[in-house]
Amino acid sequence: MASQRRYFIRTYGCQMNVRDSEIMAGTLAAMGWQPAAAESDADLIVVNTCAVRGTAEDHAFGYIGGLKQLKDARPGLRLAVAGCMVQEPKTVAWLKRYAPHVDVVIGTHNLHRLPEVLAEAEERQEMLVEVWQQPGPVVEALPSQRAEGVQAFVNIIYGCDKFCTFCIVPFTRGRERSREPKHIVREVEALAAQGYQDITLLGQNVNSYGHDLDPPTDLADLLEALCRVEGVRWLRFTTSHPRDFSQKLIDTIAREPRISHHVHLPVQSGSDAILKRMNRKYTRAQYLELVDRIRAAIPDVALTTDLIVGFPGETEEDFAATLDLVKRVRFDAAFTFLYSAREGTPAARWESRDPVPEAVKKERLNRLMDLQYRISWEANQQWVGKTVLAVVEGVSKKSEAMWSARTQHNKVVLVPRQADDDLRFRFVPVRITGAKTFYLTGEVAGPAEAGPRPSEAARTLPVL
Ligand code: SAM
Ligand code: SF4
Ligand code: F3S
């Protein structure tokens, strides 16, 4: 394709998809493409899809359908669909039948082949589908165009071996593959040199990092190594599976001040019967015992979770056990989801036999959210009066007059924005003056810390 053409990427789903979009953006930049401000301005639109719930799929289907109008108006426009949905044969069949205006379909395991696939599609009239069903070896040194700022995502492990019975991810992302520590350290060193100081390590289950390497290693040792990288201020990691959260990791977090005191620890349900049928591989008692050990070692830890309501066969008693667990743990926040049947998973078969009625699911979700919102509000009050360091992420979406910053405990804090201050991407001490359910409010309590600011030139370079 000719140079200086413009691309637009629409991303659905989790941070791993965000990271894949950064890699696609970097790949396109290396091919001479420029980012477009909007779809209407683009010569290529890439839709990076998520299959985790029916709602995510519906949004993507609706968006892809809507692109037909743009394509009709500009036949030269190229449309590509990527991400977890296309790993499912039913999505490819749907695209062929209902969205023939799509030019390219590329899977999660062969994203690195984007240049070849786009070039091949140029020669063709009909849709080109390249979806590998199995991942190859981990591909390193792909180009990448990261978001502006001082925060960066770094993949450490791909795929998932857990096969929770409700979840599509092991089918769309394949089995676990860890990256070699040396590649991760090199990437974080390059990021730190470019001014990225707040690094989030990514994986569907970061706690099983390294078991598949030779010699094997683990997340605790990786974090230790990354704490030694000059210029890295904060290290975060997500997502943790309770089954694999080791005491060694707890001790490492407690010891190393650069590691975030925020643990996202999805529990999914408080009922042993449901946990067993979900194949989560831990009991309620084991989860509570783990929470106790984490809190004993890291008393100020912020704990968040994911919860599913209306798993097939969930009784009122099972749901009461979830409410009870939420009351006991007192999470800082929780993502709460209505169970969504995913074709091909064991729970989808149970759903057809033993579904929880839709109205009951929604009523339970409302009760759960009411409880969690009250606890989140209460948990946030404890920050009032404290002064903490926060990284300013940008102007708040709530109000132009506020900056939105994030603390090391992953709390969002809004601070007033003066006309002449430029705190964007700065680390600033903030005195917390108020607390709501979803965020804190505060005021700047000292000078912003000087530090390396990311240079525009640096961020177009490939990260090795
Ligand atoms: N790997 C993480 C873990 O172990 O919990 C998270 C994976 S998933 C991308 C994020 C969350 O989506 C899950 O924790 C779960 O709560 C939710 N989820 C996954 N499959 C779902 C389904 N079929 N219906 C509703 N929620 C689902
Ligand atoms: Fe899905 Fe379970 Fe793997 Fe998380 S651990 S990605 S919920 S299968
Ligand atoms: Fe969705 Fe795939 Fe992430 S299914 S949640 S984009 S791994």
Side-chain angles (χ1 to χ4, degrees), residues 52-53 166 204 239 266 268 280 306 308 337-338 340 342:
V52 79
R53 281 172 291 277
F166 53 81
Q204 287 300 345
T239 296
Q268 314 296 0
R280 286 294 289 184
D306 292 346
I308 295 180
F337 304 109
L338 287 177
S340 167
R342 305 287 72 212

Side-chain angles (χ1 to χ4, degrees), residues 411-449:
K411 299 277 176 189
V412 171
V413 51
L414 303 187
V415 291
R417 182 172 162 234
Q418 314 301 332
D420 57 346
D421 66 5
D422 182 14
L423 296 182
R424 215 156 77 104
F425 310 143
R426 295 277 178 179
F427 286 78
V428 282
V430 176
R431 200 174 72 79
I432 308 298
T433 52
K436 308 262 193 220
T437 305
F438 301 114
Y439 61 93
L440 308 171
T441 52
E443 52 199 31
V444 175
E449 296 201 2

Side-chain angles (χ1 to χ4, degrees), residues 233-265:
R233 191 187 291 253
W234 288 345
L235 286 163
R236 310 178 196 262
F237 55 90
T238 196
T239 296
S240 293
H241 192 289
R243 159 86 178 225
D244 301 325
F245 209 103
S246 68
Q247 187 60 41
K248 179 179 171 191
L249 178 60
I250 296 173
D251 296 340
T252 305
I253 302 169
R255 191 171 58 241
E256 288 285 357
R258 293 186 196 199
I259 304 176
S260 168
H261 283 194
H262 165 228
V263 177
H264 184 60
L265 198 63

